[in-house]
Amino acid sequence: MKTLFSRAIVYGLIILFGLLCALPNVLPDAVSEKLPAWYSQNKLTLGLDLRGGSHLLLEVDTSELVANKNPALHEQIVRDAVEQSLEVVRRRLDETGMVEPMITRQGSDSILVQLPGVNDPNHIRELLGTTARMTFHWAANEKSALLGKIISVQGDSPGERYQLEERVALEGKHISDARLAFNQETGEPVVNFKLDNEGARHFGDMTKRNIGRALAIVLDDRVVTAPVIRSAIQGGSGEISGSFTSASANDLALLLRAGALPAPLKVIEERTVGPDLGSDAISMGISTGVIGALLVLAFMVGIYGRWGLIACVGLAINIGLSFGVLSLLGATLTLPGIAGFILSVGMAVDANILINERIREETRRGENAITALRAGFQRAYSTILDSNVTSLIAISLLFLFGSGPVRGFAVTMAVGLLISMFTAISFTRLVMEWRVSKLGKQPLVISGIKLLDRISENTIPFLRARFFGLIASAVLSLASVFLFFSPGLDYGVDFSGGTVIEVSAPDVGVADLRKALAQNNAEQEKYVAVAIQEFGAEGHYLMRLPMQSAEDVASGGSVQAVKTAVLAISPDAEFPRVEMVGPRVSGDFGDATILAIILAGLGMLGYLWLRFESHFALAATLTLALDLTKTIGFFALAGVEFNLTAVAALLALIGYSVNDKVVVFDRIRENLRLSPDKPFVQLLNESITATLTRTVFTSVTTFLALLPMAIAGGSAVSSFSLPMLFGIVIGTSSSILIAAPIVLLLGERRLRKGKTQLHANAEVAQREIDLLP
């Protein structure tokens, strides 16, 4: 009892700490304001898909920087340019006064910018896309003409050009401050700038020596102004005038204060979510998650009674601790993250089901309560560990190769699974031991579904149908391969590239939209192919634009053209969602997806090879391949969009499917150790029958957890929830009907190979004996 008490104190303190970490997420603002900032701010950050905002992925174009440079130096040049660009982007966004912009490096040469609350990032796109490299050049004269170092630079007006000295008279990096001002004589907007000490001294000397010459101020290879120097300018300040508006002058001042970019930034991906769409996503995620959790809780209590209630309390603690850990990590909660969390809730029950079923088996053998409890936990532990490790392999690869919301899915699911292992071996065991301590030598009765109990009492000859099952599975997988090619998958913009624009335009029909777009194309003398379909409620439409060139993606011209055309006929139109993916990003997504799936398969093959024997690992991998092909066929047949969320579903299914097989394989391994001389077919049938209840129960709980999301989640999560439901059914059936037959075939092949080798070795030995004198 002392041990029980001490563990209760330790586990209780850990759980209390985790729940206190999660508490700021649910406290009202009035209460949070009275708490210390370090505590009240320890909460999850909502992703842009939940609170609205824009996401820009910018590529640092270093082609000019590395041109004619030693290839060995390219890596360092690119790294330095990206780091400097990160700092400049951060300063520019800070100067705008924007709230909580998130700026992070992504990949080797890209920068991810997330802008909460920004529904139209066009202005930010322009600010970040301007290099803002400012230089001062003297106008060319006879002396510079003789030296031949003259450049021709475009002026501010069309057709206007300036002949300037190529030599830079003063670098813009010496500008220490720049502000919007107004010319006292004309009232026109101008930019007043100040130079640092070195720049002021040099500026004074060069203007003193060049009175009467024009000094051109060049911004990004365009002359902004070229005033004639009338006298030496010693104060270290000056004025930039031109055809400015107040807004453009203010932007120029901002750019000069923030500094120039070392290389141009090009937008290669843009995603925008309106605040209303984000709030709807939160409401949907919470409601479907709560309903799914309640279904799981009701199922557990209905099956196991008060012992199921203990599992439910453990599950509630698991949810609280998961939020606490995610808050401590400073994680960002996204819509796929909510989906991953809901899935982890369903899978977290698996440990409790394994433990309860093991305890019931020990009780049926006549063990008393304490012995049955200890044996049940001990026997279930290795299975729980193996099954969760295989799932974590797939999740870790999803984190490594995914991006943005998909990484959020991986993080929430990984945290949920790890916390579930802790609660199963700490809280659940602690409470069960406390309850059992009062029973003494009485048997521990855990209720179950009597029909399944009666079925499991006698060994079911599953292997009799092995050939039929394998042939049917192979035919379905082969048909799925054909479906992959025709009609093929409905690729989302993540893989196909292009643009998706969600439009809310009341009282406007599809025909009106097509007419407006055609008229806009004619006026702009360009053609933008747009596919329009009704989407959701009346007055909502989804517009799809095919892949544009990298230049068009960088400028956002096609999106602006479509918005202009829609607003012309519906001034109150709104654009709740915009997704634009360039050719480079879509290609990277495709490569990363294939690599992640291959590595997930190899990682699990290696782990199972280590923990089991080679034929078990190969059987799991082959069964997994059959499950995946059928799921791909489901995508093609059902017309579900294949996007990054679908990739998350595939990798989650890899983990879930192998998780299921590991439980069966673990029982086969255990029975092989207990009865090595028993016929292998009989042993396989007994193992599948013994784990049948657990397999069915775990699948039902996971299915129930995801079912509300599949029904009410809408298009935002349909690419995840629908394939997951299908995959659960396929994975469960293959665990019972496909994996074991493959183990049998590979085991028999291995046995025949061993006997052949043994026979060959015997013949060699006999020949050696015959040769002896």
Side-chain angles (χ1 to χ4, degrees), residues 371-688:
T371 304
L373 181 69
R374 290 175 179 171
F377 270 94
Q378 183 179 0
R379 293 180 184 279
Y381 180 74
S382 62
T383 307
I384 293 170
L385 181 64
D386 285 335
S387 60
N388 281 328
V389 167
T390 53
S391 296
L392 289 171
I393 289 173
I395 293 169
S396 62
L397 289 169
L398 189 59
F399 179 82
L400 289 175
F401 292 97
S403 62
V406 176
R407 279 192 166 188
F409 166 84
V411 170
T412 53
M413 191 168 175
V415 169
L417 287 180
L418 291 173
I419 296 296
S420 71
M421 292 177 66
F422 167 75
T423 53
I425 63 175
S426 61
F427 173 82
T428 304
R429 180 166 187 169
L430 191 72
V431 176
M432 292 185 78
E433 285 185 2
W434 172 70
R435 292 286 301 172
V436 165
S437 64
K438 300 180 180 181
L439 296 177
K441 294 185 178 181
Q442 298 179 34
L444 173 58
V445 179
I446 298 180
S447 59
I449 295 180
K450 294 182 179 180
L451 176 61
L452 283 176
D453 288 343
R454 285 198 294 269
I455 292 174
S456 301
E457 287 175 358
N458 300 309
T459 301
I460 303 173
F462 288 105
L463 271 297
R464 284 185 184 176
R466 60 183 180 274
F467 295 110
F468 173 79
L470 289 173
I471 292 172
S473 179
V475 169
L476 288 175
S477 292
L478 187 62
S480 297
V481 172
F482 282 111
L483 289 172
F484 174 77
F485 292 102
S486 178
L489 300 180
D490 179 18
Y491 291 103
V493 292
D494 299 317
F495 293 97
S496 64
T499 302
V500 172
I501 306 173
E502 188 176 331
V503 181
S504 174
D507 304 324
V508 174
V510 173
D512 298 326
L513 289 174
R514 289 199 177 101
K515 183 178 179 181
L517 290 171
Q519 183 176 353
N520 186 73
N521 282 331
E523 292 174 355
Q524 299 292 327
E525 297 183 354
K526 62 185 292 187
Y527 180 70
V528 180
V530 183
I532 307 173
Q533 67 181 79
E534 294 182 336
F535 178 76
E538 186 178 353
H540 284 70
Y541 305 94
L542 207 62
M543 296 185 172
R544 297 178 183 269
L545 284 69
M547 173 80 78
Q548 296 105 43
S549 64
E551 292 74 17
D552 198 19
V553 172
S555 66
S558 296
V559 173
Q560 286 303 119
V562 170
K563 287 185 176 180
T564 300
V566 174
L567 290 171
I569 62 170
S570 180
D572 296 329
E574 296 178 352
F575 306 91
R577 176 170 61 103
V578 175
E579 296 183 15
M580 180 163 51
V581 178
R584 176 193 149 172
V585 176
S586 60
D588 290 347
F589 280 151
D591 296 341
T593 298
I594 295 172
L595 185 60
I597 291 175
I598 292 174
L599 288 179
L602 292 176
M604 291 181 183
L605 176 65
Y607 180 79
L608 294 175
W609 203 301
L610 180 67
R611 290 287 292 165
F612 297 87
E613 294 184 38
S614 59
H615 56 295
F616 283 89
L618 289 172
T621 306
L622 290 173
T623 309
L624 181 61
L626 293 171
D627 291 348
L628 279 180
T629 51
K630 294 182 186 69
T631 307
I632 293 292
F634 171 80
F635 273 102
L637 196 62
V640 177
E641 186 177 281
F642 192 81
N643 49 31
L644 279 183
T645 309
V647 175
L650 285 181
L651 287 174
L653 278 173
I654 289 175
Y656 179 84
S657 183
V658 175
N659 177 313
D660 225 16
K661 277 86 181 150
V662 164
V663 174
V664 178
F665 289 173
D666 190 74
R667 183 59 64 94
I668 294 172
R669 179 176 58 182
E670 179 183 325
N671 288 339
L672 276 171
R673 292 170 179 168
L674 293 174
S675 307
D677 298 328
K678 185 175 290 188
F680 197 35
V681 172
Q682 181 183 347
L683 190 143
L684 291 176
N685 284 327
E686 290 177 357
S687 301
I688 299 172

Side-chain angles (χ1 to χ4, degrees), residues 55-66:
H55 147 132
L56 296 173
L57 184 61
L58 308 165
E59 178 189 22
V60 183
D61 185 2
T62 57
S63 55
E64 292 187 9
L65 292 180
V66 300

Side-chain angles (χ1 to χ4, degrees), residues 91-109:
R91 287 201 301 265
R92 289 186 182 181
L93 292 178
D94 287 345
E95 287 284 350
T96 65
M98 190 170 297
V99 179
E100 298 178 354
M102 297 175 63
I103 307 156
T104 54
R105 181 172 182 167
Q106 183 160 308
S108 60
D109 61 352

Side-chain angles (χ1 to χ4, degrees), residues 27-95:
L27 287 176
D29 293 337
V31 177
S32 296
E33 292 173 358
K34 298 177 182 178
L35 297 173
W38 61 266
Y39 178 68
S40 61
Q41 293 175 2
N42 180 55
K43 59 176 66 175
L44 286 168
T45 302
L46 295 181
L48 296 184
D49 55 352
L50 295 180
R51 59 173 167 169
S54 295
H55 147 132
L56 296 173
L57 184 61
L58 308 165
E59 178 189 22
V60 183
D61 185 2
T62 57
S63 55
E64 292 187 9
L65 292 180
V66 300
N68 303 320
K69 296 289 194 310
N70 186 341
L73 300 175
H74 287 187
E75 183 178 337
Q76 184 63 42
I77 293 172
V78 172
R79 187 162 56 246
D80 291 344
V82 174
E83 289 299 325
Q84 188 178 344
S85 298
L86 271 169
E87 184 58 33
V88 173
V89 168
R90 189 170 288 111
R91 287 201 301 265
R92 289 186 182 181
L93 292 178
D94 287 345
E95 287 284 350

